[in-house]
Structures are given as C-alpha cells and as structure tokens.
Amino acid sequence: MSEVLIPEIVAYDGEDLAARSGRIVVLVDGDAPTSLGARRLDRLTRGAVRRAMAGEAWGRVKPGEALELAYPAGLAAEALHLVRLPRRTDVATARKAGGTIARLYGAAPVLALVETHPRHADLILGLLLRAYSFDVYKSGEKKAKGAVTLMVSDVPAAQASYHAALALAQGVFLTRDLVNEPANVLTTTEFAHRLTGLRDLGVHVEVLDEDELERLGMRLLLGVGIGSECPSHVVVMRWNGGVAGEAPFALVGKGVCFDTGGISIKPAGGMEEMTMDMGGAGVVAGVMKTLALRGAKANVVGLVGLVENMPDGRAQRPGDIVKSMKGDTVEVINTDAEGRLVLADVLWYAQETFKPKGIINLATLTGAIIVALGSEHAGVFSNNDALCGAFLKAARAEHEGAWRMPMGQAYDDKLKSRLADMMNVGGREGGAIVAAQFIKRFIKEDMPWVHLDIAGVTLLKGDTPTAPKGATGWGVLALNRLIADMFETTPAKA
Ligand code: BES
Ligand code: MN
Ligand code: ZN
C-alpha cells in the first residue's frame, strides 16, 4: 500500500533560498516573475527566471506543467522548476500543478513556493493524488524519498486544505490499492476483511456469508461464485452521519475479484486485467472511507457483492436457469456476463433492506462501454433526470469524465428468453445499454437510480496528471461531492 505524502507546511518567511539544496519549485504565469518568491529567485539567479520566461521553451509549457532550470547559478539547489499556474485557473489545472510537483518527489528534497495562490487547496490534492505509488511487490531496497515542503503565506489555511485533501486522497488510495492488488492476494474474503478495517473510522460493517446469502435467496450472486474456492460475500457498510433514522442513500458495487469468464471463458491475452473487475466495489469502499474521514453529515449505505468467476466442475453452465432474490428467473446464456447477476441481487437486497432515497451502482460491467467511450468517460445510465443531472454536475466539477447513455424498451426487448423471465445477455449490439437494461429490471418503480459502467476508466495504461498508470480511483471524488451537494449543503433561501 502506498504511503501518503505528508508535506511540511511552513510560512513564507525570509529564508535564504540561495542556500537551499534539492529542488525549488515556484509558481509563475505570464512572461515575467511577479510573486514575491519568483522575484527573489530571479534576483538570486541574476535574472535567470526572467530570461527563462522570455524564452521560447517557456512558451511551450502548458498550464500546470513546468520548465526545469538545472543547476541555476546563484542557487545551491540542483534545479529550479518554473510551474506555469495562472492565479485564476480551474480545479484541474491546479491539481495538475500539484501533480507536476509530486513527480519531482524523489531523493532530493523539494521546496515549493505556493505563497498566496488562491487554488492552493486543489494543488495540494493534486500533489497527494499524484504521489501515490503501489510498489508493495517490488522487492529490493525502497529508495529513500526526501521531503516536500510547501511554503505558503497562510499556514493554518494550507494545513486545513491539507487535512481536507487527505480525507479525499485516502479514500481514493483505498480504491486504488484494492484495484491494483492481484487476485491471489485480494480474494473475496481478504476484500471483506479489509473493509472491516473501516470500523475503526466509525463505519458499521457487516459481512454476509454464503449461508446467509442462500437464506436471502441471492442465487444469481451465488451462481457466479459457485465455481470458485473463494466463498462469496456481501459486505454492508453503513455511515450514519446524517439525521438519525433518515433513509440512507445507497452505493452498490460489483466486486468480482477475478473474472475468468467462467465456463464461457475469456481468451488468455489480457485476462490478467480482470483483477480490476472489483473496481465498482473498490469505489464504494473508497467513498465510504472518505465520508467517514471527513465526518460527512449524511446517511449512506455502501454494499458490495464479492465473488470470483471461475470455471470448475461445479461452476455455473451456459443455459442454467437461476432464480433471483427478487423472484424473477434468469437464463444464463453467457457466464461471462456475471457482473449484472451479482448486481441484480445486491441491488434488490439494498432496496428491500434499507429503503434508500436513491441508488448509484458502479461496475466494470462491459467491454462495450470501452468501445463506445474509451477511457475518457464512464457510461452513465439512469431512470431519473434529477439524480443523473446531479451526478453529472458533480463529476464535471471533479473532472471525472462521465457521459450519459440512452436507455429504452427496444434494448430491454433483447433480453427476452424462450425459457425464463429473461436472459443475461442480448447480443453484441448496444451491449453496454442492454446490460444497463438488465440491471434496471431489478430497480423498483420510482427508485431514483444511476448505473455507472466504469470498465474503461478504472485502470489506465498511462499516467494522468493526478495518477500514475494503473488504478485511477475514478468516481470517489465525484460521489463524495454528490453526497455533499445533495445532503450536506443547505439550499440558499429563495
Ligand atoms: N468484467 C467484464 C467487462 C470488462 C471488460 C471490464 C474489459 C473491463 C475490461 C464483464 O464481466 C464481461 O465479461 N462482460 C462481457 C459481457 C458479454 C459477455 C455480454 C463483455 O463485455 O464482453
Ligand atoms: Mn465477465
Ligand atoms: Zn466481469
């Protein structure tokens, strides 16, 4: 697991920058140094900052990115980094600037002159998010890392921003850690065990075992896990920070710890990626952690269905007909369309047990959504414009790509089965939508619901400004914000 970067936050005093070793970062904009720190560094380097900012290379530096001046004369530092960050900038650019600083984080200490930048809070969050690494399985000596110091004009404000950012980052990191873990380590039981760790933060955590799931009639979920040595679990996490007794909002996640496809087995090439098929459950866990860490004033219940989809002598077969907790029967045409089976039962259980005000479910559900939207946007499906709009707004504010997809009867019709109430697949065309229609069959009339197909955004092959390649933690920030917007913000009086 990754250690969280703890920057030292100090006042911008008259420290002798000339004697400072390591790397110095200064935020600048335009074509001349204007801030106190930039001007002081410019003086110490006899105009090197000004000359660099008049040069051609600076013109190519985009907002949030940096120009490096190596071994600047007049400074003991090994490098001076000019980070372009306008004072009036958006959240994403400020986070990117923080990420740029995080990438300098190595053996040499980093001093960043943040001074009075109005978006220091976003910069700090970007710094923490980009400093994440998952190197538990890299043997050999871990390189000692230096320190990161942020020099700011208002230390208490920056400290407060750091603590707020920490609650977000630690939620995102829980999600990333869970998604990055291999399936031989993060078994269903280990996943459940890690979730019980949230009890320390005041989250009520309940782990349901197979006997209980059997009693509840969750045959769809159990059918997926039946070919695995790992027992299936449903984990219920409750955060009651809102009005006592008020109905909660529900988050439901697909937690397929490994998806071989089952008897409808997947091709070998790339199958190792299916360790991320618990990404929806990972996001639910991350959001619950963030809500608890920041003491959110909302009642939220998070539920995850943890299973492993394996081929085996006892595994579910194509053609099997299975009864759901709801009572509807499903003809399992393709055992690789397992996520919807898991979600169907957990969603039904969530509605029956908690009578939530609304539900959002997350799942790495279909390859089809990757074909449609790539890794830029998650697919958003909903039966409720208000909830869907609120989610899209929160996602936009957090710069987490999300795009609404259509639904409709014609897609649902594809699920008609000759033998049972429905099939679990409906052909290749519009595959992500047909999957959403399947899930919708397990959502009660009038229940506000959003389904997020996160197959494309959960694990990336390349770095982003705020995440190294691998698990992204997509969704934690948007869902946290949605909950804050919906339940913790008093609407302005009309
Ligand atoms: N977990 C996969 C979807 C997936 C694919 C996630 C690629 C991440 C990356 C899901 O269980 C699955 O196998 N879906 C099938 C559905 C099909 C059989 C209808 C798919 O998308 O091919
Ligand atoms: Mn599958
Ligand atoms: Zn799957």
Side-chain angles (χ1 to χ4, degrees), residues 254 259 261 266 277 309 336-338:
K254 167 181 173 181
D259 180 14
K266 289 178 180 295
D277 211 20
N309 189 19
D336 197 12
E338 84 297 342

Side-chain angles (χ1 to χ4, degrees), residues 205-227:
V205 182
E206 189 189 356
V207 179
L208 307 185
D209 64 17
E210 288 192 341
D211 289 345
E212 285 167 278
L213 301 179
E214 185 74 55
R215 256 201 311 283
L216 287 161
M218 291 204 208
R219 293 273 176 76
L220 289 183
L221 181 147
L222 288 167
V224 174
I226 204 166

Side-chain angles (χ1 to χ4, degrees), residues 132-213:
Y132 173 88
S133 67
F134 188 80
D135 49 16
V136 261
Y137 302 111
K138 297 267 193 196
S139 37
E141 258 177 85
K142 301 255 148 79
K143 284 190 212 104
K145 292 224 171 178
V148 174
T149 305
L150 304 178
M151 214 175 250
V152 299
S153 54
D154 185 344
V155 173
Q159 286 288 6
S161 299
Y162 170 68
H163 284 289
L166 202 55
L168 298 170
Q170 289 190 300
V172 172
F173 292 174
L174 174 59
T175 305
R176 288 182 185 173
D177 285 346
L178 291 169
V179 169
N180 281 327
E181 285 284 15
N184 60 330
V185 174
L186 193 74
T187 59
T188 51
T189 304
E190 171 64 16
F191 198 140
H193 174 70
R194 290 198 188 182
L195 297 181
T196 62
L198 295 173
R199 286 174 183 155
D200 294 344
L201 303 175
V203 180
H204 300 272
V205 182
E206 189 189 356
V207 179
L208 307 185
D209 64 17
E210 288 192 341
D211 289 345
E212 285 167 278
L213 301 179

